[in-house]
Amino acid sequence: MPYRSTAIVSPAPADITPVALLRLPHDQRHLRRKLLHLPDDDVVMLDLKQAVMLADGDALVLDGGGYILIAAVEEPLYEIKPRDRLHLIELAWHLGNRHLQAEIREDRIVILRDPVIRSMLIGLGADVQEVTAPFQPMRGAYHSGHGHDHGPDQHHDHGHGGKGHEHSHDG
């Protein structure tokens, strides 16, 4: 019989001994209701009230007791280093204007590899290096804590500069 989870803990308590470790890339950590296959072929039925973006170190709380620990896997990324803080803000603006997922740090930005975006960033004066690391993009304006404010199948308009466009927030 599969495990069942209807809650998460973020981050997981340091003193837990998890039932299993579930390694997932960033795009498989945006979840609401899904069967998750564990390394030992057990299954967890995840059934949350709203979609969440699980982070490295979060835990699924099992209904019968116990935890499944979430671990981010390494992914092919670009590490983008600016000339200075103002340049970092400018680069973040260009990436955000393209709706790219980004992990923003004090001295760098990390994104998924995209050769077209790499060329743009180099043209803007950024130092762009290929790295492989866990990826934890920013949750964005439509997240409240871990939850997402609307379902993944809902489309809506953001109205960018008077020129709206419609898109989904598929996870």
Side-chain angles (χ1 to χ4, degrees), residues 87-98 102 104 109 121:
H87 192 220
L88 178 83
I89 294 167
E90 292 169 359
L91 296 170
W93 182 88
H94 281 283
L95 295 170
N97 194 43
R98 285 154 182 82
I104 301 174
I109 301 170
L121 292 165

Side-chain angles (χ1 to χ4, degrees), residues 62-153:
L62 301 176
D63 287 353
Y67 299 89
I68 304 292
L69 189 61
I70 303 299
V73 298
E74 291 191 342
E75 301 185 60
L77 307 168
Y78 289 140
E79 181 181 65
I80 305 155
K81 293 189 179 177
R83 293 184 299 266
D84 54 35
R85 286 178 170 247
L86 179 59
H87 192 220
L88 178 83
I89 294 167
E90 292 169 359
L91 296 170
W93 182 88
H94 281 283
L95 295 170
N97 194 43
R98 285 154 182 82
H99 292 263
L100 293 177
Q101 293 182 321
E103 182 177 330
I104 301 174
R105 301 294 178 123
E106 188 173 324
D107 61 343
R108 67 188 181 280
I109 301 170
V110 180
I111 64 170
L112 292 171
R113 290 185 193 169
D114 179 326
V116 172
I117 298 300
R118 181 179 188 273
S119 295
M120 177 197 74
L121 292 165
I122 290 170
L124 292 168
D127 175 28
V128 182
Q129 300 296 319
E130 290 184 359
V131 297
T132 302
F135 184 47
Q136 187 63 51
M138 305 294 294
R139 290 190 171 106
Y142 293 97
H143 281 82
S144 166
H146 265 307
H148 198 269
D149 292 341
H150 51 264
D153 295 325

Side-chain angles (χ1 to χ4, degrees), residues 36-88:
L36 301 171
H37 297 273
L38 302 177
D40 64 359
D41 293 328
D42 275 339
V43 176
V44 176
M45 174 58 197
L46 183 65
D47 189 10
L48 303 172
K49 291 181 182 178
Q50 58 186 0
V52 298
M53 182 62 170
L54 297 171
D56 185 61
D58 285 351
L60 303 176
V61 180
L62 301 176
D63 287 353
Y67 299 89
I68 304 292
L69 189 61
I70 303 299
V73 298
E74 291 191 342
E75 301 185 60
L77 307 168
Y78 289 140
E79 181 181 65
I80 305 155
K81 293 189 179 177
R83 293 184 299 266
D84 54 35
R85 286 178 170 247
L86 179 59
H87 192 220
L88 178 83

